[in-house]
Amino acid sequence: MDLVVETKELHKHFGSIRAVDGINLSVQSGEIFGLIGPNGSGKTTLIRLLIGLLLPTSGSIKLLGEDVPNKGILAEVGYMTQTSALYEELTVRENIAFFAEMCGRKDAAWMDEVIDLVDLQDRSHSIVRTLSGGLRQRTSLACAMAHRPRILLLDEPTVGVDPQLRAILWSYFRKLAERGVTLIISSHVMDEAERCDRLGFMRQGRFLAEGTAAELRSQKGAGTLEEAFLLLAAGGMDGGAQ
Ligand SMILES: Nc1ncnc2c1ncn2[C@@H]1O[C@H](COP(=O)(O)OP(=O)(O)O)[C@@H](O)[C@H]1O
Ligand SMILES: [Mg+2]
């Protein structure tokens, strides 16, 4: 088994808030792992810990077998934040080049491939300021992949995106996974959860449950993931009684 992301008893506390409260996560190469949970459940904090932007209160993180934080591993990780981090006055291609160069990995052929992958061939010379929300979202995804990372951490990449573009983005994610990229994608939308290979249902910094969508539904005898999540959350509140 090729473990790409591994955390053990990971905690991040902000004063009395246990944003991440004992997460054990294992994600394999080429897998799409979904972090699913309501606002405030700790998804962003977990992703920021994985990339080393936050230091854990306790516990450990390994990416590609190396301890995090670790500057060497950063070149292998792409991160798409919840808020746009694009340079408004640069073109799509210039933005992608900038992110690639930051990791010392500018490669014209790969840039063309990334632009193709997100279907921005026609807009690669457009100034970001002039783009619609959907095109910006695709540009952000291209920037996160600009340096050819082996791990992609995408924090609610489809928020504010219409259903059609959402489906397109998910087809890109699947294409990347098929090429061996490992993706961790957070979402609070249950229909996206169905598209992940495996899920962690997060609530109050913990995984209420982990597994494939089918496993989680059958574990609770639920017809939908939403129902399974509500049943799990109710179990969590009364001390985890099943
Ligand atoms: N820098 C911070 N300082 C204090 N509290 C924080 C900080 N970042 C996140 N939190 C708190 O941690 C909890 C989890 O937040 P977050 O990871 O952003 O959740 P999510 O991404 O699932 O919405 C929330 O209660 C949030 O208010
Ligand atoms: Mg968040």
Side-chain angles (χ1 to χ4, degrees), residues 14 17 19 37-46 82 155-156:
F14 298 107
I17 298 172
N39 283 332
S41 57
K43 304 180 297 295
T44 296
T45 304
L46 177 55
Q82 253 178 296
D155 198 0
E156 303 209 27

Side-chain angles (χ1 to χ4, degrees), residues 66-112:
E66 305 272 345
D67 288 321
V68 171
N70 176 329
K71 279 196 187 138
I73 219 76
L74 272 185
E76 303 298 346
V77 188
Y79 174 40
M80 184 170 160
T81 58
Q82 253 178 296
T83 49
S84 170
L86 300 171
Y87 291 93
E88 296 282 315
E89 301 304 325
L90 299 183
T91 67
V92 167
R93 196 178 173 94
E94 285 166 346
N95 266 279
I96 297 170
F98 176 82
F99 284 96
E101 217 156 314
M102 277 205 303
C103 290
R105 286 206 181 166
K106 196 169 151 195
D107 169 344
W110 174 247
M111 277 173 44
D112 289 339

Side-chain angles (χ1 to χ4, degrees), residues 115-134:
I115 288 169
D116 277 354
L117 197 72
V118 296
D119 284 328
L120 282 170
Q121 301 91 332
D122 297 344
R123 301 307 298 269
S124 66
H125 297 293
S126 301
I127 303 281
V128 163
R129 181 169 38 78
T130 67
L131 299 181
S132 67

Side-chain angles (χ1 to χ4, degrees), residues 203-204 208 220 230-242:
R203 195 161 173 277
Q204 295 177 340
L208 288 180
K220 281 286 155 191
L230 291 173
L231 289 167
L232 281 159
M237 282 192 294
D238 64 21
Q242 303 285 310

Side-chain angles (χ1 to χ4, degrees), residues 9 14 18 36 38 42 44 49 85 95 109 122 125 134 163 198 207 209:
E9 282 305 312
F14 298 107
R18 292 169 168 250
I36 310 298
T44 296
L49 286 164
N95 266 279
D122 297 344
H125 297 293
R198 264 186 328 122
F207 282 155

Side-chain angles (χ1 to χ4, degrees), residues 3-45:
L3 271 191
V4 173
V5 178
E6 192 178 16
T7 76
K8 292 216 168 107
E9 282 305 312
L10 190 62
H11 284 260
K12 180 68 187 179
H13 304 167
F14 298 107
S16 62
I17 298 172
R18 292 169 168 250
V20 167
D21 192 19
I23 292 284
N24 294 297
L25 174 66
S26 299
V27 187
Q28 293 175 50
S29 178
E31 203 174 17
I32 300 183
F33 189 92
L35 292 176
I36 310 298
N39 283 332
S41 57
K43 304 180 297 295
T44 296
T45 304

